[in-house]
Amino acid sequence: MKKIKWSKTTGKNTMTYGLVILAYVVLQLFGAAGLMSSSLKGMLIPICAYVAMAISLNLTVGVLGELSLGHAGFMSVGAFCGTSTAILLQNAVPSAPLRLAISLVMGALFAAVVGFLIGIPVLRLRGDYLAIVTLAFGEIIKSIFNNLYLGVDSHGLHVSLLSDRTNLAEGGSLIIGGPMGIGGIQKIATFTAGFVLIMVTLVVVFNLVNSRAGRAIMAIRDNRIAAESIGLNITKYKMMAFVTSAALAGAAGALFAMNYSTVVANKFDFNTSILVLVFVVLGGQGNMLGSIIAAAALTILPEALREYADYRMLVYAIILILVMLATNNPTLKSWLDRLKSGRRKAKEAI
Amino acid sequence: MKKKFLGLLLAASMVLTLAACSNSAGTTSSNAANPNPGAQSTAGSAPENTPTGAAFKIGGTGPLTGANAIYGNAVKNAAEIAVDEINAMGGIQFELRFEDDVSDPEKAINAYNVLKDWGMQLSMGSVTSKPCEVTAVETYADRIFALTPSASSAAVLEGKDNQFQICFIDPNQGTAAAQYIADKKLGTKIAVIWKNDDVYSKGIYETFMKKAGELGLEVVSDTTFADGNDTDFSVQLADAQSNGADLIFLPMYYQPASLIFAQANAMGYAPKYFGVDGMDGILSMDGFDAALAENVMMITPFSATSTDERTASFVKKYQEQFGEIPNQFAADAYDCIYAYKQALVNAGATADMSAKEICELMIEQFTTMSFDGLTGSGMTWDASGAVTKVPTGVVIKDGVYVSLD
């Protein structure tokens, strides 16, 4: 019994890896052949970032079972720290891919630290309370970046809050300018980097979920009291999932920011958190492949609907409702299940 | 069970009906009076990067939905009027396509790429500042000439030779406002309320404070607000009042300003107010008592009540078609299209040229020509892309703008 279950998850994980690689190869071939419109080309990197965001949030929502409404906050930390790193290293590290990699790691690191600090008070709460507090923290992070000034000159880094008191020496430059965010970013994010990020995210999440710690995390989700009674350290395992999720979101944020020439804190507001949550819910909680597909589809959808002009967002909303209804429709579900089992039987017959 | 299925069916049919009735809504205002039908046919077909040769394709992005929709729609509507007028005249023909960017840089890039696929030859940039900063980088890389009607931050122009503005850049407005207040001796003790998470507000605030310092204006109260706490201004107003400010400088858009007027009035505090071009539109705001804006002063390049013949005809047309009084954004967009027309005619450009060729011609034209529009006469541009036009101060008297000069 146990053996069958294992092979099922492994099979599903392999399929997820396979599909991501396949999508990457196909898109690269399309791009090389010049078949891709600039509209689609422009969306590839944001899609990668959103996919990584969705997978990382799915770790908190689907695997840990806690609703987080402030995930964009970690994305924001990653975006600002990662981009600042890239700007600071502009001369020291001439190779763009290497600089990008360092920035993503820095973004992830800072987001992990913030995730840890936030996790200390938040993870002692449960359910709705936790959700509300994460929401508040998301807004706090946004507020901080809206009032943060970071400059660099020959004397090193200067930081000030609320107003620009960095007093930079001659030749210095302001990196983060409060509400102006970061401007003049070199666009070093690439689709390949996005693909690598998704793969790394998947490897981290799948390995965590399939480890001893992962099973402990899921035990906490399914029955907290039972988990506690067998001696699991609830806060430790919760923290593990939460910090991992924050770090991955940070890397995604760094990638996202470096695809645009400017980034502002207001981009990572409550709406972005909810958007990512929609990807997770639509794709199915705990279902990574679902998150990937939902994130990609829902990023492309509003663009694909441009021809409807004024009705665009209305159509988008209706489609969203339709998909939610359809995926939760018992008739459709049983039909899909029958289809699946039918296929499996056919496979076995061969 | 059946009910759910019925619900699904109904929703599906709704999507289909919507799709059916909005087929052609994507492209707007394509050559109503154009004898060449070729221009229109490409709109719906596969992405095509070659010019059709019949009409210049002008594209722009702006917030048609969301919190800033009022600006995006004003620009879109006015640009449509201008394009229709020019197409009706014969001669140079334009085809306009305006895409929604919800004032978000991410969406703006998507919208820009859609326009690029469509074969845009000339760009109107983006309506708001942050999106325009990112689209400007793209137009620069793709060598598509861009003339933004309203994105006023300095970063839009920085380091790009093919990005131009119709509106003042933010820093100029702050300087001009301080100069105006000092020259006309409008106030002795000045309070400033500004929005500290908004690029527009902050840009003006900074240069205003700098210039005020140079001119020896006394700023007694300096308070801020941000997105989310922009409905209650009692703290800011109390601070201004207790410090004895007799003039409040408001570098912001008109929605928060309208609340400030109402709340100050309720407090029994009646200082003078001085606003910038974002204040324009306050008189046509729904549910706002225009009496509160009496005696408010502002710097704006455009006044809808002007007796100028072209302005009057534009305002009339706008009102007929869209049922509103056009604001300054609309006037800037109208000027944008006419400036393009003048430059294209001067340069002898033809619609079958590539975006790159047109771009070089336009850079040459815009840095040398002088243009008379609704928002100023004798407008000129320097190589950086910033416009030079005279800022005019107006004061609201009996619900109309009256020149301060």
Side-chain angles (χ1 to χ4, degrees):
Chain A
M1 192 62 210
K2 202 180 172 192
K3 212 180 156 202
I4 294 166
K5 185 137 202 301
W6 264 108
S7 68
K8 197 177 161 194
T9 36
T10 325
K12 183 140 199 214
N13 293 357
T14 322
M15 194 173 88
T16 311
Y17 289 131
L19 278 176
V20 172
I21 295 171
L22 184 73
Y24 173 71
V25 171
V26 168
L27 285 171
Q28 282 294 48
L29 284 178
F30 264 62
L35 291 170
M36 219 185 314
S37 65
S38 30
S39 169
L40 182 61
K41 227 183 265 172
M43 277 188 286
L44 289 179
I45 299 170
I47 289 175
C48 288
Y50 282 129
V51 165
M53 281 296 289
I55 298 170
S56 69
L57 183 65
N58 209 338
L59 185 61
T60 309
V61 176
V63 180
L64 178 62
E66 295 290 4
L67 194 59
S68 166
L69 297 177
H71 212 55
F74 301 123
M75 193 181 182
S76 174
V77 172
F80 278 89
C81 296
T83 315
S84 304
T85 312
I87 293 174
L88 289 172
L89 292 178
Q90 202 133 316
N91 296 322
V93 184
S95 151
L98 182 63
R99 196 161 70 229
L100 180 67
I102 298 174
S103 314
L104 291 194
V105 172
M106 284 303 279
L109 220 66
F110 272 96
V113 171
V114 173
F116 179 74
L117 292 177
I118 293 176
I120 295 171
V122 167
L123 293 177
R124 279 159 214 286
L125 302 169
R126 254 175 281 170
D128 306 346
Y129 303 100
L130 188 142
I132 302 289
V133 175
T134 51
L135 167 67
F137 271 109
E139 292 297 301
I140 289 174
I141 293 174
K142 185 182 105 182
S143 247
I144 290 177
F145 281 116
N146 257 331
N147 289 293
L148 180 73
Y149 294 81
L150 177 74
V152 62
D153 62 8
S154 46
H155 302 295
L157 281 177
H158 300 264
V159 182
S160 78
L161 276 174
L162 291 175
S163 66
D164 186 6
R165 291 186 303 270
T166 46
N167 289 326
L168 297 174
E170 195 74 19
S173 62
L174 196 64
I175 298 175
I176 303 178
M180 313 262 207
I182 307 180
I185 303 170
Q186 272 195 355
K187 291 167 55 178
I188 52 175
T190 57
F191 179 43
T192 307
F195 164 70
V196 173
L197 176 70
I198 296 179
M199 290 307 278
V200 169
T201 310
L202 280 176
V203 169
V204 169
V205 170
F206 281 150
N207 276 313
L208 179 65
V209 172
N210 289 335
S211 69
R212 192 186 152 85
R215 286 189 293 278
I217 292 168
M218 284 184 282
I220 295 169
R221 171 193 68 188
D222 293 337
N223 194 328
R224 184 189 157 95
I225 297 170
E228 219 166 3
S229 72
I230 55 163
L232 286 179
N233 185 341
I234 303 277
T235 313
K236 178 184 146 194
Y237 286 114
K238 269 187 163 181
M239 189 66 98
M240 197 181 280
F242 196 69
V243 170
T244 312
S245 163
L248 294 172
L255 179 85
F256 182 85
M258 270 176 286
N259 182 42
Y260 299 99
S261 49
T262 174
V263 57
V264 286
N266 281 357
K267 169 73 201 167
F268 307 104
D269 60 356
F270 179 61
N271 288 334
T272 310
S273 295
I274 294 297
L275 182 71
V276 179
L277 191 63
V278 169
F279 297 157
V280 172
V281 173
L282 193 68
Q285 296 180 28
N287 181 351
M288 301 303 157
L289 183 59
S291 293
I292 295 174
I293 294 170
L298 288 190
T299 314
I300 295 175
L301 191 61
E303 296 308 315
L305 291 175
R306 273 196 188 275
E307 57 179 302
Y308 298 135
D310 295 348
Y311 303 98
R312 186 161 72 106
M313 289 332 275
L314 185 61
V315 175
Y316 175 78
I318 294 171
I319 290 180
L320 213 59
I321 295 171
L322 272 181
V323 173
M324 290 282 184
L325 281 178
T327 48
N328 280 318
N329 190 307
T331 323
L332 263 173
K333 256 190 181 165
S334 66
W335 182 72
L336 266 177
D337 281 344
R338 244 180 302 157
L339 204 74
K340 260 189 207 161
S341 62
R343 222 173 20 183
R344 202 167 299 146
K345 265 180 206 151
K347 223 188 254 170
E348 274 161 14
I350 295 162
Chain B
M1 223 28 267
K2 264 186 185 157
K3 255 189 192 163
K4 265 197 183 161
F5 245 91
L6 200 69
L8 268 174
L9 257 173
L10 279 175
S13 62
M14 204 168 154
V15 173
L16 287 177
T17 5
L18 279 174
C21 68
S22 61
N23 256 342
S24 59
T27 27
T28 49
S29 176
S30 37
N31 324 354
N34 192 350
N36 307 307
Q40 226 151 355
S41 61
T42 49
S45 67
E48 202 175 312
N49 277 312
T50 46
T52 55
F56 289 98
K57 288 181 164 185
I58 301 183
T61 82
L64 303 180
T65 55
N68 295 315
I70 187 164
Y71 310 118
N73 282 311
V75 166
K76 175 174 173 261
N77 293 345
E80 274 174 24
I81 292 180
V83 165
D84 287 344
E85 281 178 7
I86 290 170
N87 286 347
M89 281 178 213
I92 272 193
Q93 297 293 310
F94 284 136
E95 195 179 343
L96 176 74
R97 179 159 169 184
F98 211 83
E99 287 292 339
D100 187 12
D101 66 16
V102 208
S103 200
D104 174 354
E106 183 197 346
K107 301 280 184 317
I109 290 283
N110 291 342
Y112 169 79
N113 281 328
V114 169
L115 292 171
K116 202 171 121 189
D117 287 336
W118 173 63
M120 169 170 67
Q121 289 162 293
L122 292 160
S123 168
M124 289 175 76
S126 302
V127 171
T128 42
S129 288
K130 270 289 157 187
C132 199
E133 276 179 38
V134 293
T135 51
V137 172
E138 300 298 316
T139 45
Y140 179 66
D142 293 330
R143 301 308 294 162
I144 296 175
F145 187 84
L147 175 67
T148 171
S150 52
S152 52
S153 86
V156 168
L157 301 178
E158 248 166 33
K160 298 162 201 106
D161 64 342
N162 62 344
Q163 179 73 40
F164 286 70
Q165 283 169 332
I166 285 279
C167 56
F168 295 113
I169 59 172
D170 295 341
N172 284 359
Q173 287 208 53
T175 316
Q179 190 75 52
Y180 223 96
I181 293 172
D183 287 354
K184 307 266 172 199
K185 297 194 175 49
L186 296 172
T188 50
K189 292 187 166 185
I190 297 163
V192 185
I193 302 176
W194 58 289
K195 189 172 180 189
N196 69 357
D197 64 350
D198 182 41
V199 180
Y200 169 77
S201 190
K202 192 181 154 64
I204 298 173
Y205 163 78
E206 279 180 347
T207 49
F208 176 82
M209 292 303 273
K210 200 167 149 229
K211 189 76 182 174
E214 283 169 20
L215 296 169
L217 292 172
E218 192 188 351
V219 177
V220 292
S221 162
D222 176 358
T223 47
T224 62
F225 64 100
D227 230 7
N229 61 357
D230 50 2
T231 47
D232 180 16
F233 293 95
S234 50
V235 177
Q236 290 92 330
L237 286 168
D239 187 73
Q241 191 175 27
S242 64
N243 284 309
D246 57 2
L247 184 140
I248 302 185
F249 179 56
L250 303 168
M252 61 180 75
Y253 290 120
Y254 62 81
Q255 297 93 330
S258 67
L259 295 171
I260 290 179
F261 297 152
Q263 287 169 18
N265 187 47
M267 283 164 65
Y269 177 39
K272 290 180 191 164
Y273 297 102
F274 199 95
V276 282
D277 64 2
M279 190 73 78
D280 181 53
I282 191 156
L283 293 176
S284 51
M285 187 180 175
D286 280 338
F288 177 69
D289 178 7
L292 289 172
E294 202 59 25
N295 294 323
V296 169
M297 293 166 281
M298 68 180 100
I299 290 189
T300 172
F302 171 72
S303 155
T305 49
S306 158
T307 48
D308 172 57
E309 191 189 328
R310 281 183 69 198
T311 309
S313 114
F314 167 66
V315 172
K316 188 162 161 269
K317 261 191 198 147
Y318 195 99
Q319 262 183 307
E320 273 169 13
Q321 284 190 26
F322 305 104
E324 287 167 351
I325 294 181
N327 58 15
Q328 168 231 330
F329 284 80
D332 282 332
Y334 188 82
D335 278 358
C336 184
I337 300 291
Y338 271 95
Y340 266 145
K341 185 194 172 213
Q342 184 182 332
L344 290 168
V345 170
N346 284 355
T350 50
D352 54 3
M353 285 180 171
S354 72
K356 211 169 165 181
E357 288 165 337
I358 296 178
C359 178
E360 298 311 318
L361 288 175
M362 288 297 102
I363 293 175
E364 194 190 315
Q365 281 301 322
F366 272 87
T367 45
T368 51
M369 76 176 194
S370 154
F371 171 72
D372 296 328
L374 302 183
T375 61
S377 46
M379 291 155 74
T380 55
W381 286 266
D382 58 24
S384 77
V387 70
T388 309
K389 54 184 177 184
V390 187
T392 45
V394 297
V395 58
I396 298 174
K397 290 269 183 222
D398 299 324
V400 251
Y401 293 167
V402 181
S403 172
L404 264 176
D405 296 298

